Amino acid sequence: MNDSSSWACPVKHAAEPQRVSLAHGEGGSSMRRLLEEHILPRFDRLSSLPLDDAAVLPQIDGRPVLTTDAFVVSPLFFPGGDIGTLSVYGTVNDLAVRGAEPLWLTLSLILEEGFSLQLLDRVLESVAEAARRCRVSVVAGDTKVVPRGAVDRLFVSTTGLGRLIEPGPSGSATIEVGDVLLVSGPIGRHGIAILAAREEMAFEPPPESDCGPLIEAVAALRTAGVRVRAMRDATRGGVTAVMHEWARDCGGTLVIEEERVPISSDVRGVCELLGLDPLNVANEGTMVVAVHPDDAESARSALQCVSVCARAARIGFVRARGLLPVVVKRGIGSERPLLEPSGAPLPRIC
């Protein structure tokens, strides 16, 4: 017979002041207060709707485009952003580079018991501000609380829905020999910013993430009439991962011209110190674009007119498939293979 003295209620009803408790995730009055006092007031669309199980959305003009992502970055706050901005920009950018206008987001929070409500408020403010900047509405959400140690403080998931603006990018399978490759700005900034913040490296000023929206950059290409073959935000795996995916899809060899790749001095310094290849380091507001060769200059000019893309550059081209799918061409004319990363050099970056 079991010893009843060892029994314990799995739900703590007495919430710690200013801390998330398990009761906040159990659907009762504590959860209602969490929603009413911390979450709903920050999102106009959510606060104006009844708390139904699903949001009914207006009809849209065009084909719907859907994406979803989860964010587990450590630390939660870093120079240039935090998990809140990351969760909005990451999903919005996935829609934008697919040629869609982002319209709506869902927001799912997984909170560790004991997480500071003050920090939660800061994250939610970041989500709300980023959504306003991108002109998207958060229309549905979910909140779960798990016991201490089950997650690292806070995980966020967002799903984004938008409408395709025709004609969208023709796709990486349509990349042809002679096409030109561009990057919208200096590479590797997000990964190095996360590394420096996590390891408390004493840089002054600290490296700053490129975490931000790509909507304006994509719109600039569209307005300029650029024939875009493919666009990708170069997140985990960096530029290298995108190049290998495109090489596989199109069957050509993608050539990166090393001297053309924009790299900020702080990223270059950290990479040289730690033996990292900047091409493998993650970005969060920088994309790679493949365009028709006749449109290369107009694409570069259009991107450079967007403030965050002032250092946009041509970084390479596509040639007939040789022995290797992706190579880096050095200034002296020699080439080295650019191997596909088998894993991210830095974990928990997004």
Side-chain angles (χ1 to χ4, degrees):
M1 189 172 183
N2 293 331
D3 179 6
S4 60
S5 64
S6 64
W7 294 357
C9 177
V11 178
K12 294 180 179 179
H13 293 287
E16 289 183 56
Q18 304 305 311
R19 297 276 176 187
V20 172
S21 74
L22 290 175
H24 282 125
E26 296 300 331
S29 60
S30 293
M31 171 172 268
R32 181 174 51 77
R33 285 199 300 274
L34 180 70
L35 293 173
E36 293 178 348
E37 295 173 7
H38 295 275
I39 298 177
L40 298 180
R42 290 180 167 82
F43 304 105
D44 294 340
R45 189 69 183 264
L46 280 180
S47 62
S48 64
L49 296 173
L51 294 179
D52 291 329
D53 286 339
V56 179
L57 303 172
Q59 289 186 329
I60 60 174
D61 180 16
R63 288 191 285 170
V65 181
L66 181 69
T67 188
T68 191
D69 209 340
F71 301 87
V72 297
V73 66
S74 176
L76 297 179
F77 298 85
F78 50 84
D82 57 65
I83 193 171
T85 55
L86 198 61
S87 65
V88 175
Y89 296 145
T91 295
V92 164
N93 287 346
D94 285 347
L95 292 172
V97 297
R98 188 60 187 85
E101 175 192 11
L103 297 172
W104 298 294
L105 290 178
T106 69
L107 176 69
S108 177
L109 305 172
I110 299 179
L111 298 160
E112 182 186 24
E113 178 192 14
F115 186 68
S116 164
L117 285 171
Q118 184 181 24
L119 289 183
L120 177 62
D121 287 342
R122 285 179 59 191
V123 171
L124 291 170
E125 285 292 346
S126 292
V127 172
E129 176 56 32
R132 282 192 291 270
R133 182 179 178 186
C134 297
R135 299 182 180 178
V136 295
S137 296
V138 177
V139 294
D142 186 43
T143 303
K144 295 289 191 302
V145 181
V146 296
R148 294 176 193 271
V151 298
D152 183 6
R153 299 192 289 171
L154 171 65
F155 292 169
V156 179
S157 293
T158 49
T159 294
L161 179 62
R163 70 179 183 95
L164 186 65
I165 300 178
E166 305 284 1
S170 53
S172 53
T174 69
I175 293 173
E176 297 179 354
V177 172
D179 282 351
V180 172
L181 306 169
L182 301 99
V183 68
S184 65
I187 65 170
R189 295 171 56 202
H190 180 68
I192 295 303
I194 294 295
L195 173 65
R198 185 184 302 167
E199 302 302 326
E200 300 181 346
M201 294 179 173
F203 293 108
E204 190 58 43
E208 191 166 298
S209 169
D210 62 340
C211 181
L214 288 167
I215 301 172
E216 192 177 354
V218 173
L221 293 175
R222 187 181 299 120
T223 301
V226 173
R227 285 165 285 184
V228 175
R229 308 284 199 198
M231 293 186 284
R232 282 287 301 276
D233 50 341
T235 55
R236 284 174 298 175
V239 172
T240 302
V242 177
M243 293 296 101
H244 274 272
E245 290 181 16
W246 287 359
R248 179 198 60 201
D249 294 344
C250 74
T253 288
L254 276 58
V255 182
I256 304 297
E257 297 172 286
E258 193 171 53
E259 291 189 339
R260 291 178 176 268
V261 179
I263 305 173
S264 59
S265 57
D266 53 357
V267 169
R268 186 183 299 279
V270 174
C271 286
E272 289 178 353
L273 182 67
L274 300 178
L276 300 173
D277 188 337
L279 291 167
N280 293 346
V281 180
N283 312 272
E284 278 296 339
T286 301
M287 64 178 177
V288 185
V289 188
V291 302
H292 188 282
D294 293 343
D295 293 344
E297 277 310 302
S298 57
R300 186 178 63 85
S301 298
L303 289 172
Q304 289 181 340
C305 289
V306 179
S307 60
V308 296
C309 301
R311 292 185 62 188
R314 297 173 57 154
I315 63 166
F317 58 91
V318 182
R319 71 185 184 199
R321 173 60 64 91
L323 294 175
L324 298 167
V326 186
V327 298
V328 175
K329 186 175 182 180
R330 292 169 166 156
I332 57 176
S334 64
E335 294 183 352
R336 66 174 173 90
L338 184 62
L339 302 179
E340 187 172 19
S342 59
L346 306 172
R348 303 281 305 280
I349 56 167
C350 62

